Amino acid sequence: MENTLGDFLRSRRARILPEEVGLPSHGRRRVRGLRREEVAQLAGVSVDYYVRLEQGRGGSASDAVLDAVARVLRLDGVEAAHLRSLVRPPKAPAASAARMRGRQRVRPGTRLLLDLMTGVPAFVLGRRMDVLAWNALGDAVNGFSTRSDAGPDGLPNQARHAFLDPSAREYYGQWDAVAAETVAFLRRDAGLHPEDPELAALVGELSLRSAEFVRLWADHLVREKTHGVKQVNHPLVGGLDFGYETLGVNGSPEQLLVVYTAPADSPTAQKLALLASWTAPGAVAGGAGTDGAAAEGAETP
């Protein structure tokens, strides 16, 4: 995967006008936003020091320096953490690297929790935006078991779906927002796992096949997936307006439980009840990463 530190810092300083931070803007400028020497001045470091940082030669930068740069560039908490990951790339031990290349698993207890959540669509999102498991209503809404966006490991993948499935633009009521959120989440994953060959392969595949992905990837947006809204145009029941919440799975730090919600008696809740009636009784929830080999307490990459 490419070295992104310089591109990330340049993209962040390009969005800040000199006058916004109390600096004069002298005529026509060769670069958009702040110059490197202006960032250095505002952060209280030498120009040479900041240039070396932007060139990826600032591995010894102190927390105080990184905090100052983050303040000048107006980075939020996720972006500041991403900056630290780029300056000091995490070194995974050999055992972790081996697990990274292995198949992701969902604990039986998490699988059971999904099955018990009969009234809401829910699924487990893993590394690289792979969908590891889902409940019956989650499948009814998202079509995980019938989608064609699986990677080499057989898992549905939200990034492939958003950018490579021709129906995605119609399915997502706000496709532009979903696409930006997807890329920003992958950017964060890339900063945390710079040596992941499968993530590099996914980014390469999306870059080759989607001009929209290339454009958004170049923006260097970084976001966590926490909560928000999702508008879906379902092929059977029409428009669905969800809120969503993501919850970390304790003991499986690279997994998120994603739950779609809708207020009681709302049109979306009524349509969900209809979908639920079609998937019960005896509907079998899915998950390519939940076969009998998964053991309670098994580690995931």
Side-chain angles (χ1 to χ4, degrees):
M1 197 167 299
E2 81 275 20
N3 180 5
T4 60
L5 175 58
D7 290 336
F8 174 68
L9 289 172
R10 283 189 288 272
S11 71
R12 299 307 89 182
R13 59 184 172 88
R15 65 183 181 178
I16 302 175
L17 298 175
E19 50 268 30
E20 293 176 343
V21 292
L23 294 175
S25 180
H26 298 296
R28 185 174 181 179
R29 300 168 67 89
R30 293 175 54 194
V31 298
R32 185 178 59 184
L34 295 178
R35 300 186 179 102
R36 290 182 296 188
E37 55 268 28
E38 291 169 335
V39 175
Q41 174 189 341
L42 293 169
V45 299
S46 70
V47 175
D48 180 67
Y49 189 97
Y50 179 77
V51 169
R52 285 189 285 112
L53 177 65
E54 202 166 277
Q55 291 175 343
R57 297 186 290 127
S60 61
S62 68
D63 287 342
V65 168
L66 296 181
D67 287 344
V69 171
R71 172 182 53 77
V72 171
L73 297 181
R74 300 181 177 179
L75 305 186
D76 62 24
V78 176
E79 291 172 324
H82 183 65
L83 172 62
R84 283 181 168 79
S85 295
L86 295 178
V87 173
R88 306 166 186 159
K91 299 296 183 183
S96 296
R99 288 197 300 271
M100 187 183 296
R101 294 189 293 270
R103 194 178 186 189
Q104 301 180 79
R105 303 288 185 183
V106 175
R107 294 198 313 268
T110 305
R111 168 74 272 174
L112 177 60
L113 177 62
L114 277 176
D115 292 339
L116 293 173
M117 299 172 68
T118 57
V120 293
F123 57 94
V124 175
L125 192 68
R127 289 287 325 286
R128 314 168 199 98
M129 301 198 77
D130 287 338
V131 183
L132 308 184
W134 51 85
N135 64 7
L137 198 50
D139 194 21
V141 169
N142 293 283
F144 294 128
S145 61
T146 58
R147 285 189 347 201
S148 60
D149 49 76
D153 52 11
L155 296 171
N157 182 273
Q158 293 294 76
R160 284 193 184 91
H161 180 245
F163 287 98
L164 304 184
D165 189 328
S167 68
R169 288 180 180 271
E170 176 63 25
Y171 175 77
Y172 293 116
Q174 296 177 320
W175 182 87
D176 289 342
V178 170
E181 176 187 87
T182 297
V183 173
F185 187 75
L186 282 181
R187 266 289 181 199
R188 178 178 177 272
D189 200 13
L192 294 172
H193 304 281
E195 304 300 326
D196 182 355
E198 293 183 27
L199 180 55
L202 174 62
V203 171
E205 176 188 0
L206 295 173
S207 298
L208 286 173
R209 299 179 60 187
S210 171
E212 292 91 345
F213 179 85
V214 173
R215 176 180 60 81
L216 290 168
W217 190 253
D219 287 341
H220 289 266
L221 296 178
V222 184
R223 293 290 183 270
E224 290 180 321
K225 189 175 183 67
T226 55
H227 64 278
V229 297
K230 190 83 71 178
Q231 295 180 353
V232 169
N233 295 314
H234 194 276
L236 297 180
V237 298
L240 298 169
D241 295 315
F242 293 115
Y244 72 83
E245 298 288 335
T246 62
L247 309 172
V249 180
N250 287 339
S252 301
E254 302 291 354
Q255 295 181 9
L256 295 172
L257 175 63
V258 183
V259 182
Y260 289 175
T261 62
D265 298 325
S266 66
T268 294
Q270 295 170 7
K271 293 175 183 179
L272 279 180
L274 181 61
L275 285 174
S277 70
W278 292 344
T279 59
V284 178
T290 57
D291 59 24
E296 189 72 35
E299 292 184 320
T300 58

